[in-house]
Amino acid sequence: SQQGEEDPQALSIQEGENATMNCSYKTSINNLQWYRQNSGRGLVHLILIRSNEREKHSGRLRVTLDTSKKSSSLLITASRAADTASYFCATDANNAGNMLTFGGGTRLMVKP
Amino acid sequence: SQTIHQWPATLVQPVGSPLSLECTVEGTSNPNLYWYRQAAGRGLQLLFYSVGIGQISSEVPQNLSASRPQDRQFILSSKKLLLSDSGFYLCAWSVPPEGEGIQYFGAGTRLSVL
């Protein structure tokens, strides 16, 4: 079953606006990661936040983690048409094989 | 630098035919390897993972099997494909433990079973 669940499932915004995606999970984690997938392509790792961190930045990306609520958010600021993609959260629960559990994803469309 | 190769990119197979998808990783040693399936518009479902040569763990009982004959080679197989095997198959690798579980994905294989 999917541990991470993204919200919303789809998001459409204008270029220049900010995009916020949320992820909820169920079990304790070592870290939470966000990935991006362009249509028909493989996933690309964007950012990782450890369980003892609350906020992390990378370029136009800002990730927050609230372990008490078992939730995370990904903020993309000043979005561009090239940001159009699906975004997935994934949790690493320190299991054998470093398995990740992926959410269902948020499909982001940025209109020029 | 590390790279991952996955082929073919697209595959159309009749029901009941065999399947072999191959994934190879370059530039790293003893990686963890993973096979995922993704239904259209959905998240990833982990099918198999491997922590070493000949070591395969199955997450979902199904019509598929996996093998790791070499350190950086991971193969997904089926003896007889079903319609329900259609989907987008992704191979990935990670480097434990220093990689913190970050996974690097191949470009994927879109399988259509007709």
Side-chain angles (χ1 to χ4, degrees):
Chain A
S1 63
Q2 300 285 345
Q3 155 139 278
E5 294 295 336
E6 283 91 342
D7 168 56
Q9 291 187 336
L11 180 61
S12 181
I13 59 174
Q14 293 295 134
E15 210 165 24
E17 295 179 340
N18 295 342
T20 300
M21 289 158 268
N22 304 295
C23 169
S24 61
Y25 58 93
K26 298 175 183 175
T27 65
S28 61
I29 61 172
N30 268 352
N31 64 62
L32 185 144
Q33 304 173 33
W34 286 90
Y35 288 79
R36 167 192 168 129
Q37 183 183 33
N38 287 353
S39 180
R41 305 290 295 175
L43 278 71
V44 175
H45 178 262
L46 293 176
I47 193 167
L48 177 151
I49 186 165
R50 300 181 183 90
S51 60
N52 61 353
E53 297 175 320
R54 292 297 167 259
E55 188 171 314
K56 205 160 185 180
H57 297 257
S58 177
R60 294 184 295 113
L61 304 181
R62 172 177 170 256
V63 170
T64 62
L65 179 64
D66 187 336
T67 53
S68 66
K69 295 181 180 178
K70 292 187 169 58
S71 66
S72 173
S73 68
L74 171 68
L75 168 67
I76 303 175
T77 60
S79 63
R80 305 166 182 168
D83 294 328
T84 295
S86 291
Y87 293 82
F88 296 88
C89 68
T91 51
D92 179 350
N94 194 28
N95 46 54
N98 285 109
M99 290 184 290
L100 296 178
T101 303
F102 284 84
T106 293
R107 294 185 302 280
L108 173 66
M109 175 174 288
V110 182
K111 300 176 183 177
Chain B
S1 63
Q2 302 94 342
T3 56
I4 180 169
H5 302 280
Q6 186 180 346
W7 67 93
T10 305
L11 192 59
V12 180
Q13 292 284 101
V15 169
S17 64
L19 173 74
S20 181
L21 300 180
E22 188 165 342
C23 171
T24 60
V25 179
E26 296 178 357
T28 187
S29 296
N30 198 30
N32 285 353
L33 296 172
Y34 311 87
W35 276 112
Y36 292 91
R37 178 168 59 200
Q38 184 179 31
R42 304 293 300 276
L44 276 67
Q45 179 187 38
L46 179 64
L47 302 175
F48 301 95
Y49 72 92
S50 171
V51 299
I53 296 174
Q55 301 178 62
I56 308 295
S57 296
S58 173
E59 289 299 297
V60 182
Q62 59 204 323
N63 186 40
L64 301 169
S65 63
S67 62
R68 185 171 176 173
Q70 300 180 41
D71 181 44
R72 289 169 285 181
Q73 184 185 29
F74 205 23
I75 298 172
L76 182 69
S77 304
S78 173
K79 292 182 179 178
K80 289 184 178 181
L81 284 169
L82 306 172
L83 287 173
S84 57
D85 291 324
S86 294
F88 191 50
Y89 289 82
L90 289 157
C91 180
W93 65 274
S94 70
V95 181
E98 61 271 18
E100 292 193 274
I102 294 173
Q103 294 187 9
Y104 302 90
F105 286 80
T109 295
R110 185 159 305 281
L111 172 65
S112 297
V113 182
L114 306 177

